[in-house]
């Protein structure tokens, strides 16, 4: 069953297996059958064990189902892929040197006539005698082409198995609804889950879809299923329609203008090394190509569909035209491409005709226009009165208005409407304020100057000119005042919400998880989602990083790199990467630059904690990069293994992967515009790995400077945590804390926090 497979893919992300059974039919005293015992053993090899309930439930399903789930887990854990790196037994360094590379380069330029003798490899490279110890390699040490692949992985060396629970159809439906209604933006994993579940479950009668971004996914699905009429109900404004059209065109749920998209693409193509003359030519050509891609072309069917949608928008022509005003330029091109003028002359499209008429004649007064007028007249009272009419837009321009008219006056006006805004938005304001008011501008490196002030919309902010008028203390006070808005609003909301509960339990891990406001990860976590900020303990003496890429792709040049950066006292940094395979505390398995056919290829780095300790290392930053031009390749998984027991490396072919020791693993989703990724930080003395995700654009890991990572860690630490929010709730509602989840009227666990709708409910506790 195709459905069962996708349901299980989703369930795994919630640390569960999906079985299509009735919960009440489970015999909790049943003896496990032989196939179930075998199935559980296969799970254990992959690092999982089953809960009591799931164990008994497994007796109720067909053996075919067990076989299907086993192969799904093998697929997710990548056990059928090639995990052989370039070097066999790579824990013992090959001792290859720059001289080896140089001599080989000369030999290949000059050839055997000049007396070079050695071995010619299948890639055509001559490896001179006395250079690389060829016996140690699975491929060409000179060009990084692998010749040998492996078809096995190690199993069962892990000591920390992950528990899987039972999910029935009812549970899956709950997950579906929770994703649909989530009022915080879905991260990449949740988006993929929702798309899969939309194939299985019908849309509820009157769906309350929390986020605009989620609406896009749903409309896409409905249009695919030829239910454009259904989709119409979800489109409330012309902007919704534009957002959908642009989503289909670019894959982005935000309406990013073409120019910004092209700039971002150009940034990913490394042409900075070219001289001015060449760079201008290449730049112009790339721009032309990208512009071509963004050209609007629609078939008749699409044109008619959109014409019908716009004709049915539940707004007056004036309101609709005003709604279109901020993206006027894009609309003009859309209207032409969709031949809306033509449709508006047909019978039944009178509303569309009216809308276009008002839009073209600019026969509407825009609210923004009135605000601009008031601003020009320097009329604070009028401006604030207008802003209060539109709380969402007030929030958007809050900081600039504070700089313009002084923070006391503006915040007083804003407080009047603050409770009308989703608390998520107030929270993101607080997070954005420090950045906007330039509090720690200097300590933040360029890649993280990209902020997402409002739900998902990534923006690079130009510092406001008025900032110069204020002293640092004044600016700090402004940021603090904005931060307090959220807290006081939440306290009011909690206090106003009656509850029957007397006691509360908060799992300690929740004090490390920042409340998500849309800056959640862009990678996909196929096995059990972890929230950013989660800390993984390291029990053994080794941490092994891995990178596997190229699955399902034909043999080609595709250079991805795994690397790490070790911060040493006082200000030194050691790097372990393709250009430096060994350094203090770290060993790399060799640089692969081409992939073999279909099965992918792997790189590893082994970190030795005793060696790092001895060297006084503080942090190790885990990174992966695309060296081939373009963004990171899809089908790339990256993560780390850790076990209390030693983990084997094959002398035969270097394979060092064992799914049971994988502590965390993520897949890079398609459409990710970033070029490199920091995917974890090891705090050496605490023996903890912090899961975080930070894109960076530099070609090598030098882009992930210690300062930048420390700034990010600090940012993570400064954010309001889920646990702190629950403390505010406990205080406002007079709840008593207890130490065990079982003893509490209200229990908040890590599993609870994985469910976006539940966390949202807390954020919206008073129903706004
Ligand atoms: Zn070669």
């Amino acid at each position: 069953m195709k459905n069962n497979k996708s349901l299980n893919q989703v369930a795994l992300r919630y640390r569960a297996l999906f079985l299509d059974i009735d919960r009440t039919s489970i015999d909790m005293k049943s003896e496990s059958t032989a196939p179930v015992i075998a199935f559980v053993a296969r799970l254990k090899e992959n690092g999982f064990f089953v809960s009591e309930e799931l164990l008994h439930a497994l007796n109720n399903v067909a053996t075919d189902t067990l076989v299907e789930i086993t192969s799904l887990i093998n697929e997710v854990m990548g056990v059928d892929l090639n995990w052989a790196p370039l070097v066999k037994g790579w824990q013992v360094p090959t001792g290859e040197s720059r001289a080896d590379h140089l001599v080989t380069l000369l030999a290949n330029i000059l050839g055997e006539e000049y007396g070079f003798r050695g071995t010619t490899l299948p890639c055509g490279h001559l490896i001179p005698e006395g250079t690389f110890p060829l016996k140690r390699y699975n491929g060409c040490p000179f060009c990084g082409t692998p010749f040998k692949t492996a078809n096995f992985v190690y199993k069962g060396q892990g000591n920390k198995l992950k528990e899987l629970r039972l999910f029935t159809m009812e549970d899956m439906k709950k997950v579906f609804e929770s994703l649909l209604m989530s009022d915080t933006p879905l991260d990449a994993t949740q988006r993929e889950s929702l798309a899969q579940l939309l194939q299985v479950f019908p849309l509820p009668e009157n769906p309350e879809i929390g986020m605009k971004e989620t609406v896009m996914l749903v409309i896409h699905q409905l249009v695919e299923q030829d239910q454009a009429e259904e989709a119409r109900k979800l489109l409330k404004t012309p902007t919704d329609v534009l957002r959908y059209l642009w989503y289909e065109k670019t894959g982005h749920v935000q309406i990013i203008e073409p120019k910004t998209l092209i700039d971002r693409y150009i940034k990913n193509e490394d042409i900075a090394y070219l001289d001015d003359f060449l760079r201008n030519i290449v730049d112009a050509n790339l721009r032309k190509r990208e512009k071509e891609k963004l050209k609007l072309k629609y078939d008749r069917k699409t044109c008619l569909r959109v014409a019908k949608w716009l004709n049915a928008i539940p707004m007056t022509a004036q309101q609709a035209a005003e709604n279109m005003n901020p993206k006027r330029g894009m609309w003009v091109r859309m209207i032409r491409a969709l031949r809306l003028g033509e449709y508006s002359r047909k019978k039944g499209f009178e509303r569309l005709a009216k809308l276009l008429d008002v839009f073209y004649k600019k026969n509407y007064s825009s609210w923004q226009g009135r605000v601009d007028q008031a601003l020009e007249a320097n009329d604070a009272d009028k401006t604030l009165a207008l802003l209060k009419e539109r709380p969402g837009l007030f929030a958007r321009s809050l900081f600039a208005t504070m700089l313009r008219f002084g923070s006391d006056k503006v915040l007083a006006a804003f407080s009047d409407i603050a409770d009308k805004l989703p608390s998520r938005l107030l929270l993101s304001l607080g997070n954005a304020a420090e950045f906007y008011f330039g509090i720690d501008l200097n300590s933040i490196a360029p890649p993280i100057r990209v902020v997402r002030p409002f739900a998902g919309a990534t923006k690079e902010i130009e510092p406001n000119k008025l900032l110069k008028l204020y002293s640092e203390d004044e600016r700090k006070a402004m940021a603090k005042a904005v931060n307090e808005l959220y807290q006081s609003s939440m306290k009011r909301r909690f206090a106003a919400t009656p509850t029957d509960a007397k006691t509360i339990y908060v799992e300690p891990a929740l004090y490390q998880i920042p409340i998500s406001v849309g800056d959640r990860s862009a990678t996909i976590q196929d096995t059990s989602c972890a929230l950013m900020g989660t800390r993984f303990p390291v029990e053994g003496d080794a941490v092994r990083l891995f990178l596997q890429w190229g699955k399902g792709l034909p043999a080609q040049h595709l250079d991805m790199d795994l690397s790490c950066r070790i911060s040493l006292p006082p200000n030194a940094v050691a790097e372990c990467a393709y250009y430096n395979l060994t350094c203090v505390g770290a060993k790399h398995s060799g640089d692969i630059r081409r992939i073999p056919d279909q099965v992918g290829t792997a790189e590893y780095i082994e970190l030795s904690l005793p060696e790092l300790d001895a060297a006084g290392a503080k942090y190790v930053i885990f990174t992966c990069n695309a060296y081939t031009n373009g963004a990171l390749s899809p089908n790339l998984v990256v993560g780390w293994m850790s076990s209390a027991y030693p983990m084997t490396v094959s002398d035969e072919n270097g394979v060092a992967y064992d799914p049971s020791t994988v502590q965390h693993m993520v897949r890079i989703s398609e459409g990710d515009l970033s070029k490199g990724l920091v995917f974890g930080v090891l705090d050496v003395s605490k023996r903890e790995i912090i899961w975080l995700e930070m894109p960076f654009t530099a070609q090598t890991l030098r882009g992930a400077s210690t300062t930048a990572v420390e700034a990010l860690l600090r940012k993570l630490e400064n954010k309001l945590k889920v646990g702190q929010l629950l403390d505010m709730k406990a205080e406002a509602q007079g709840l008593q804390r207890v130490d065990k989840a079982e003893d509490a009227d209200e229990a908040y666990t890590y599993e609870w926090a994985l469910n976006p709708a539940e966390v949202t409910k807390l954020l919206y506790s008073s129903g706004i």
Side-chain angles (χ1 to χ4, degrees):
M1 271 283 280
K2 186 176 151 272
N3 276 359
N4 281 1
K5 186 177 175 186
S6 50
L7 286 171
N8 255 313
Q9 270 169 344
V10 175
L12 261 180
R13 296 173 187 150
Y14 290 83
R15 305 180 184 182
L17 289 184
F18 163 73
L19 301 179
D20 195 3
I21 59 163
D22 180 1
R23 250 208 175 87
T24 55
S25 72
I26 303 169
D27 175 5
M28 290 299 283
K29 292 201 184 76
S30 62
E31 292 258 332
S32 295
T33 61
V36 169
I37 293 170
F39 173 74
V40 172
R42 297 290 82 71
L43 281 185
K44 196 176 164 206
E45 288 172 348
N46 276 300
F48 300 102
F49 73 101
V50 297
S51 72
E52 183 88 26
E53 184 189 36
L54 178 57
L55 181 67
H56 292 292
L58 286 169
N59 284 333
N60 293 17
V61 301
T63 18
D64 280 358
T65 308
L66 300 181
V67 175
E68 278 162 22
I69 297 176
T70 309
S71 66
L72 171 69
I73 288 186
N74 282 341
E75 191 185 316
V76 167
M77 297 307 292
V79 299
D80 299 328
L81 299 176
N82 167 44
W83 285 91
L86 191 62
V87 175
K88 307 167 181 176
W90 49 271
Q91 277 174 314
V92 180
T94 58
E96 69 171 60
S97 65
R98 250 161 240 205
D100 293 336
H101 281 274
L102 197 65
V103 173
T104 309
L105 178 68
L106 282 176
N108 282 283
I109 294 171
L110 302 173
E112 278 166 282
E113 307 91 276
Y114 283 78
F116 285 103
R117 251 176 311 170
T119 315
T120 304
L121 296 174
C123 54
H125 286 128
L126 171 70
I127 307 298
E129 278 165 17
T131 59
F132 301 98
L134 275 181
K135 264 193 223 131
R136 297 284 316 279
Y137 294 86
N138 287 320
C140 174
F142 183 62
C143 71
T145 302
F147 305 133
K148 270 189 245 166
T149 57
N151 57 4
F152 81 102
V153 296
Y154 290 100
K155 285 191 163 177
Q157 300 171 97
N159 64 313
K160 268 258 154 58
L161 300 181
K162 294 167 270 250
E163 184 180 16
L164 294 175
R165 307 167 285 159
L166 167 69
F167 267 14
T168 62
M169 197 58 98
E170 212 179 310
D171 298 311
M172 295 310 299
K173 205 162 174 225
K174 264 190 218 153
V175 170
F176 172 60
E177 282 166 4
S178 114
L179 291 171
L180 206 55
M181 287 167 211
S182 168
D183 278 309
T184 45
L186 303 181
D187 64 23
T189 310
Q190 293 166 330
R191 281 205 298 274
E192 187 158 310
S193 295
L194 180 61
Q196 278 171 297
L197 295 175
L198 276 165
Q199 311 261 14
V200 181
F201 297 109
L203 213 56
E205 261 314 294
N206 280 310
E208 295 249 329
I209 301 180
M211 296 296 303
K212 294 252 184 281
E213 286 85 344
T214 315
V215 176
M216 296 306 114
L217 273 176
V218 175
I219 294 176
H220 173 81
Q221 212 66 36
L222 290 172
V223 170
E224 291 266 287
Q225 295 166 7
D226 245 340
Q227 300 186 51
E229 269 303 292
E230 280 289 301
R232 186 169 59 79
K233 294 178 199 156
L234 298 169
L235 298 161
K236 309 238 156 61
T237 67
T239 304
D240 291 345
V241 176
L242 180 65
R243 187 191 305 279
Y244 167 72
L245 292 166
W246 206 234
Y247 169 71
E248 291 292 2
K249 186 83 202 163
T250 65
H252 295 288
V253 285
Q254 300 96 24
I255 308 175
I256 307 172
E257 305 242 3
K259 189 185 166 298
T260 318
L261 275 177
I262 294 172
D263 285 347
R264 225 194 264 182
Y265 173 81
I266 303 279
K267 233 187 249 172
N268 263 355
E269 294 286 322
D270 280 286
I271 54 172
Y273 63 90
L274 298 173
D275 67 34
D276 284 352
F277 178 69
L278 273 178
R279 193 170 58 236
N280 286 337
I281 294 175
V282 174
D283 186 278
N285 270 309
L286 287 173
R287 270 173 209 282
K288 217 168 124 193
R289 202 178 73 197
E290 287 306 293
K291 228 176 172 171
E292 195 59 36
K293 273 199 235 160
L294 289 174
K295 261 205 178 141
L296 302 170
K297 272 192 210 103
Y298 293 106
D299 58 19
R300 283 271 164 196
K301 208 177 156 195
T302 311
C303 296
L304 177 63
R305 186 163 60 224
V306 177
K308 279 185 178 170
W309 281 344
L310 283 172
N311 194 52
I313 290 289
M315 281 180 149
T316 66
Q318 271 77 16
Q319 286 169 333
E322 188 185 338
N323 178 273
M324 291 157 77
N325 191 54
K327 300 276 176 211
R328 196 176 167 87
M330 285 176 88
W331 271 114
V332 169
R333 280 185 296 137
M334 275 293 175
I335 292 169
R336 205 178 304 136
L338 289 159
R339 300 173 225 176
L340 293 180
E342 201 179 301
Y343 284 97
S344 72
R345 288 189 289 276
K346 293 190 179 175
K347 204 170 164 342
F349 287 93
E350 290 76 17
R351 287 175 55 91
L352 177 64
K354 180 92 202 283
L355 169 58
L356 293 188
D357 187 52
V358 173
F359 178 75
Y360 277 120
K361 289 189 182 141
K362 292 200 180 176
N363 213 349
Y364 54 92
S365 92
S366 85
W367 171 85
Q368 189 59 51
R370 293 194 295 276
V371 172
D372 291 344
Q373 258 176 15
L375 279 170
E376 216 155 285
N378 217 3
D379 188 338
D381 292 332
K382 188 153 186 210
T383 307
L384 292 174
L386 277 165
L387 287 171
K388 277 164 82 173
E389 287 174 15
R390 309 245 171 131
L393 292 170
F394 195 172
R396 226 167 252 262
S397 59
L398 178 66
F399 304 153
T401 317
M402 285 166 74
L403 291 175
R404 180 72 185 266
F405 295 123
S407 86
D408 290 349
K409 192 169 184 143
V410 174
L411 284 175
F414 189 75
S415 291
D416 292 344
I417 51 101
D419 287 7
K420 287 189 193 154
L421 289 164
S423 40
R424 167 179 51 81
L425 203 107
L426 294 182
L427 179 61
S428 51
L429 274 181
N431 284 344
E434 284 186 12
F435 180 83
Y436 188 93
F437 292 115
I439 305 304
D440 80 78
L441 222 50
N442 296 329
S443 65
I444 296 181
I448 35 177
R449 287 191 52 181
V450 177
V451 291
R452 301 171 170 91
F454 302 101
T458 309
K459 263 188 186 165
E460 284 189 40
I461 289 190
E462 289 278 322
N464 188 314
K465 282 184 216 112
L466 293 177
L467 280 171
K468 292 198 189 101
L469 289 179
Y470 295 89
S471 73
E472 192 180 346
D473 284 345
E474 283 167 322
R475 284 181 283 122
K476 267 188 188 157
M478 285 185 183
K480 191 160 169 266
V482 173
N483 264 307
E484 279 161 7
L485 281 173
Y486 172 73
Q487 312 229 358
S488 53
S489 170
M490 280 316 283
K491 274 184 194 149
R492 280 198 300 276
R493 290 173 204 223
F494 283 132
T497 316
T499 172
D500 294 333
K502 301 259 181 304
T503 51
I504 186 171
Y505 167 78
V506 181
E507 188 169 325
L510 295 183
Y511 290 94
Q512 281 155 1
I513 311 297
I515 293 168
S516 136
V517 283
D519 49 359
R520 298 185 66 178
S521 56
T523 59
I524 294 174
Q525 308 177 34
D526 284 320
T527 60
S528 71
C529 2
L531 299 158
M532 269 239 237
T534 299
R535 283 155 200 260
F536 294 87
V538 176
E539 285 183 38
D541 281 340
V543 170
R544 189 175 292 166
L545 316 181
F546 62 87
L547 169 67
Q548 214 282 356
W549 77 99
K551 172 193 170 188
L553 295 176
Q556 61 181 294
H557 180 258
L558 189 59
D559 191 359
M560 301 287 145
D561 287 308
L562 179 67
S563 47
C564 73
R565 189 183 165 95
I566 302 164
S567 54
L568 296 163
N571 276 318
V573 167
E575 290 163 325
C576 179
Y578 65 92
Y579 47 82
N580 188 35
L581 298 177
T582 50
C583 74
V584 60
K587 292 192 188 84
H588 192 290
S589 69
D591 179 29
I592 291 186
R593 279 164 272 168
R594 295 186 66 86
I595 53 165
D597 201 40
Q598 305 301 327
V599 289
T601 191
E603 285 184 12
Y604 306 91
I605 287 179
E606 180 103 341
L607 297 170
S608 158
L609 277 100
E611 278 181 42
L612 291 168
D613 266 334
K618 221 172 148 211
Y619 297 111
V620 183
I621 300 151
F622 311 162
T623 45
C624 66
N625 278 68
Y627 201 81
T628 306
N629 270 358
L632 274 176
S633 132
N635 299 332
L636 180 150
V637 290
V638 69
W640 66 84
M641 299 176 252
S642 153
S643 173
Y645 314 126
M647 298 176 283
T648 316
V649 173
S650 162
D651 285 330
E652 237 0 74
N653 52 26
V655 168
Y657 181 68
D658 179 340
S660 71
T661 62
V662 171
Q663 209 167 29
H664 194 53
M665 169 167 92
V666 298
R667 182 153 56 90
I668 309 292
S669 62
E670 283 178 67
D672 190 21
L673 287 169
S674 62
K675 208 158 155 59
L677 187 77
V678 172
F679 62 93
V681 176
L682 167 69
D683 186 325
V684 179
S685 62
K686 285 194 189 150
R687 296 209 158 209
E688 260 180 0
I689 299 169
I690 302 143
W691 152 238
L692 55 80
E693 210 180 283
M694 179 177 109
F696 63 97
T697 46
Q699 185 66 274
T700 69
L701 79 175
R702 281 169 222 280
S705 74
T706 309
T707 342
V709 172
E710 287 199 332
L712 189 81
L713 285 180
R714 228 189 2 260
K715 245 181 115 185
L716 210 60
E717 248 150 55
N718 286 342
K719 278 187 175 178
L720 190 71
K721 309 296 191 301
V722 175
Q724 288 170 293
L725 182 64
L726 288 163
D727 283 350
M728 281 162 57
K729 175 180 160 67
E731 198 187 318
Q733 299 182 337
L735 299 173
Q736 188 154 13
R737 226 166 298 261
V738 291
D739 295 334
K740 278 193 197 138
E742 308 84 272
D743 300 341
D745 296 335
E746 284 183 17
Y748 297 97
T749 59
Y750 190 85
E751 273 75 24
W752 165 84
L754 287 177
N755 186 332
E758 290 297 318
V759 181
T760 300
K761 244 189 248 165
L762 177 75
L763 283 164
Y764 283 76
S765 62
S766 69
I768 316 171

